[in-house]
């Protein structure tokens, strides 16, 4: 079997509180592989550890145990990062820059030439329909515009691998559809995509493969096509509820605490 | 590598120079200098020297205030607004980030010092056309800038791990102590307590002896001849501290995780 583009093996992450040195296990032995060209959706309730997984894959956090490899390089290495695009959760930007300056700045961090940056920025702003707002300062952007700019930003280096943390949250139905179409295009272009999302219909449409993370553990997963509609579930939502509730039942067998 | 550093420096410069509070400070500096003009014209015969001293004092104070307050919030803001996620997931080194931030602010302070300096020289020109005066003023302003570079590096260093308030206190505290380091050393020498002697020595060598700069400026303003060696020595001496501070800041940033 070939190596996956994203290889997460036995990943453990503890958060240690600075004063009391109290340890909280956020990820508990996560193992998963995303193959070249696949779109992988990581699902899970709030606080399950999805964002943490992405941060570990990018080297923003360091694992307590286990490892992540992206494109056969250690997470966070420059070689890997130069071929990765990342959209953070609720992206924040430099509010004093205009959209165009912002893209230009990130293009510089990838050592793109002035001409390349100009071309890419123009192309990307058009792709996310922000051409008219290109020279507006970012603090005047609406949430949806920020999310679009975030998408444009993560494509500036023509990455092979994308990490998207809730790319479709906070958007109106039109915005959501636009983003979905952009992602579909990227998928058709053969990019490997790793995304976190709570919007299951979008995941259903976009993803080949999903995993369900709950309390830091991967409790279910598989090919979307084999889960629904051909599988035992009506839709992903039903699947999601089922695996979470059956997992919770197992972990608290008899005692029902009232706290 | 080169383009990344420039990009971060210029972006920082843009961020700081677009901050309106800066102009309030500069305006304030202009007003106080004009006030000095009025006061100076009252004390007949002394006017130029008073004006010069007051002007230089204002430049170093206003420059210092801006360096402290902007410098301490530079890195903190990136973490707080989570733009750091976007930066550190690009193929850049942490030293490029730290040094870029430093250079950006250094450029901003340079522009402000230049602006205030030109204003001051313009006023001086109303009273004298002696080139000695101008040469002395320009040299003094140069040494003020050298000192401000140290303040910026100190502020940048603290901002990599402390909250802005703590950084401001530490930076101002150490800046002041660096001015009286030589007195402390003397005090330690005459003290009979061994611990105090050692403590004073540690402080003296840990911080640059800024009193040397003040003395040099005094000589310059008194129109005494200054040897090239002493200028070179002091410059290298301060730059040495800049390198140490930025290296430490880089090291801390490399160890840090970004939640
Ligand atoms: N700095 C931190 N210190 C301690 N615990 C943390 C820290 N950051 C995150 N956590 C904990 O880690 C867990 C996982 O957080 P994470 O952000 O990965 O969740 P998530 O799956 O992305 O949730 P959401 O769907 O709400 O975005 C949470 O329980 C959170 O409280
Ligand atoms: Mg999250």
């Amino acid at each position: 079997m070939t190596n996956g583009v994203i290889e997460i093996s036995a990943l453990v992450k503890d958060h240690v509180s600075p004063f009391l040195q109290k340890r909280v296990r956020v990820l508990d032995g996560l193992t998963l592989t995303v193959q070249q060209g696949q779109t992988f959706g990581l699902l899970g309730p709030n606080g399950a550890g999805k964002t943490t997984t992405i941060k570990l894959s990018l080297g923003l956090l360091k694992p307590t145990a286990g490892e992540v490899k992206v494109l056969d390089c250690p997470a966070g290495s420059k070689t890997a990062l130069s071929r990765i695009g990342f959209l953070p959760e609720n992206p924040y930007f430099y509010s004093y820059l205009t959209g165009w300056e912002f893209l230009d700045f990130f293009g510089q961090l990838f050592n793109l030439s002035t001409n390349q940056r100009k071309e890419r920025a123009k192309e990307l702003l058009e792709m996310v329909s922000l051409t008219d707002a290109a020279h507006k300062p970012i603090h005047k952007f609406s949430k949806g515009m920020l999310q679009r700019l975030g998408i444009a930003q993560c494509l500036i280096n023509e990455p092979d691998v994308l990490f998207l943390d809730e790319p479709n949250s906070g958007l109106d139905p039109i915005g959501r559809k636009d983003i979905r179409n952009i992602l579909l295009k990227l998928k058709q272009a053969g990019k490997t995509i790793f995304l976190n999302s709570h919007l299951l219909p979008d995941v259903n449409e976009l993803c080949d493969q999903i995993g369900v993370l709950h309390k830091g553990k991967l409790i279910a997963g598989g090919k979307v096509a084999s889960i629904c509609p051909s599988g035992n579930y009506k839709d992903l939502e039903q699947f999601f509820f089922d695996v979470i509730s059956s997992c919770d039942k197992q972990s608290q067998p008899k005692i029902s605490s009232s706290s | 590598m080169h383009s990344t550093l420039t990009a971060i420096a210029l972006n920082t410069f843009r961020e700081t120079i677009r901050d309106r509070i800066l102009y309030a400070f500069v305006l304030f500096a202009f007003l106080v200098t004009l006030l000095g003009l009025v006061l100076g014209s009252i004390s007949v015969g002394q006017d130029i020297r008073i004006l010069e001293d007051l002007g230089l004092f204002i430049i170093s104070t206003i420059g210092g205030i801006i360096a402290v307050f902007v410098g301490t919030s530079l890195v903190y803001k990136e973490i707080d607004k989570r733009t750091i996620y976007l930066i550190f997931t690009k193929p850049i080194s942490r030293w490029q980030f730290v040094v870029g931030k430093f250079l950006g602010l250094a450029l901003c302070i340079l522009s402000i010092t230049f602006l205030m300096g030109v204003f001051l020289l313009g006023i001086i020109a109303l009273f004298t056309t002696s080139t000695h005066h101008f040469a002395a003023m320009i040299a003094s302003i140069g040494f003020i800038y050298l000192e401000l570079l140290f303040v910026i590096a100190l502020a940048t260093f603290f901002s990599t791990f402390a909250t802005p308030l703590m950084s401001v206190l530490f930076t101002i505290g150490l800046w002041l102590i660096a001015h009286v380091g030589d007195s402390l050393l003397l005090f330690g020498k005459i003290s009979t307590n061994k611990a105090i002697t050692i403590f004073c020595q540690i402080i003296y060598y840990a911080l640059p002896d800024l009193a040397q700069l003040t003395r040099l400026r005094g000589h310059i303003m008194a129109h005494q001849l200054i040897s090239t060696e002493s200028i070179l020595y002091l410059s290298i001496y301060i730059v040495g501290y800049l390198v140490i501070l930025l290296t430490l800041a880089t090291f801390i940033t490399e160890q840090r995780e970004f939640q």
Side-chain angles (χ1 to χ4, degrees), chain A residues 13 15 55 60-62 78 81-82 86 88 92-94 96-97 101 105-106 108 110-111 153, chain B residues 1 3 7 11 14-15 18 78 81-83 85-87 89-91 93 254-255 257-259:
Chain A
K13 180 65 190 173
H15 275 303
K55 284 186 188 166
L60 287 171
L61 296 177
K62 291 172 183 138
K78 280 195 200 176
L81 290 179
S82 63
F86 169 48
Y92 289 79
F93 304 110
Y94 299 103
Y96 51 87
L97 295 182
E101 286 171 336
F105 172 58
F106 285 109
Q108 280 173 299
F110 283 107
N111 278 319
Q153 166 275 140
Chain B
M1 183 198 104
S3 104
N11 193 39
R14 215 155 24 183
E15 170 181 5
R18 282 181 190 177
E78 297 255 7
K81 299 208 165 155
R82 297 192 250 168
T83 43
Y85 293 168
L86 294 172
I87 298 276
T89 48
K90 305 290 177 277
S93 306
E254 269 168 359
Q255 301 309 310
E257 289 194 316
F258 295 94
Q259 316 279 354

Side-chain angles (χ1 to χ4, degrees), chain B residues 104-167:
Chain B
L105 181 54
L107 192 62
C108 166
I109 302 278
L110 182 69
S111 328
I112 286 169
T113 310
F114 179 79
L115 222 82
M116 293 192 292
V118 167
F119 184 76
L120 185 59
L121 288 178
I123 288 182
I124 303 279
L126 298 176
F127 295 88
T128 177
T129 48
S130 146
T131 48
H132 280 315
H133 275 276
F134 289 107
M137 288 296 282
I138 291 172
S140 285
I141 293 173
F143 283 107
I144 288 176
Y145 183 65
L146 192 63
E147 178 172 338
L148 291 179
L149 285 181
F150 168 71
V151 180
I152 299 171
L154 206 57
T156 308
F157 166 70
F158 283 121
S159 76
T160 55
F161 59 91
T163 59
L165 180 65
M166 290 317 260
S167 307

Side-chain angles (χ1 to χ4, degrees), chain B residues 174-189:
Chain B
L174 291 188
W175 184 21
L176 292 180
I177 293 173
H179 267 286
V180 296
D182 59 337
S183 317
L184 267 181
L185 191 68
L186 227 78
F187 172 73
K189 270 189 189 138

